[in-house]
Amino acid sequence: MTENRRPISSREHPLVQRIAAALARHRRISPNQISLLSMVFTAIGATLLVFFPNPFTFICAALTAQMRLLCNLFDGMVAVEGGWKTPVGEMFNELPDRVSDSLFYIALGYAAQLPWLGYLAALFAVGTAYSQGIKKQLH
């Protein structure tokens, strides 16, 4: 783990480390592709929430959210521990996260029949992420 990475205990889990190592060895799957896959999971979850709102699809959407978070975990692990860092890697790490956060929160707002709340949550999520980035740049 590098010095400036947030400590995340799930990175230390043996199964997570084995999966990340396997992904890093599989040279046809880049961290950037894993980042983009996270957006696919988010789009599936958001579609379920907006167009098919029922208890079963809420559970499915929650599972897609977990898959998105796993992609977010593995893209960084493969990039850093697997030696796949690229000049555009940080953009591929951050941009899909911001898009995914916004899309999912907005979809949740529509599913709850409170679209304004989804947009507000998306705004706060992006604001929080960028304020953390600014804080990191200052230190």
Side-chain angles (χ1 to χ4, degrees):
M1 186 159 71
T2 62
E3 293 175 20
N4 60 355
R5 292 183 77 197
R6 285 177 304 174
I8 298 174
S9 62
S10 55
R11 279 192 199 121
E12 306 305 319
H13 192 280
L15 178 61
V16 168
Q17 290 180 343
R18 282 196 301 268
I19 293 170
L23 288 169
R25 281 192 308 272
H26 194 295
R27 301 306 270 181
R28 285 184 263 163
I29 301 172
S30 74
N32 297 346
Q33 291 170 320
I34 297 169
S35 295
L36 293 175
L37 181 60
S38 73
M39 291 176 56
V40 172
F41 284 118
T42 300
I44 292 168
T47 300
L48 290 172
L49 288 170
V50 172
F51 296 108
F52 309 101
N54 66 62
F56 176 71
T57 58
F58 291 161
I59 292 168
C60 292
L63 291 173
T64 65
Q66 291 304 306
M67 294 303 295
R68 175 239 189 260
L69 293 172
L70 284 172
C71 288
N72 193 29
L73 175 68
F74 289 131
D75 68 353
M77 290 181 75
V78 171
V80 174
E81 283 98 4
W84 273 75
K85 288 177 121 180
T86 64
V88 295
E90 192 167 331
M91 182 207 55
F92 269 95
N93 185 48
E94 293 300 321
L95 187 61
D97 292 348
R98 301 299 73 83
V99 170
S100 293
D101 290 345
S102 296
L103 182 60
F104 206 76
Y105 289 133
I106 292 167
L108 281 170
Y110 277 98
Q113 298 180 350
L114 298 167
W116 66 269
L117 190 57
Y119 285 102
L120 184 62
L123 182 64
F124 283 143
V126 171
T128 299
Y130 282 109
S131 69
Q132 293 300 316
I134 291 168
K135 188 191 313 185
K136 187 169 91 173
Q137 293 295 326
L138 294 175
H139 289 106

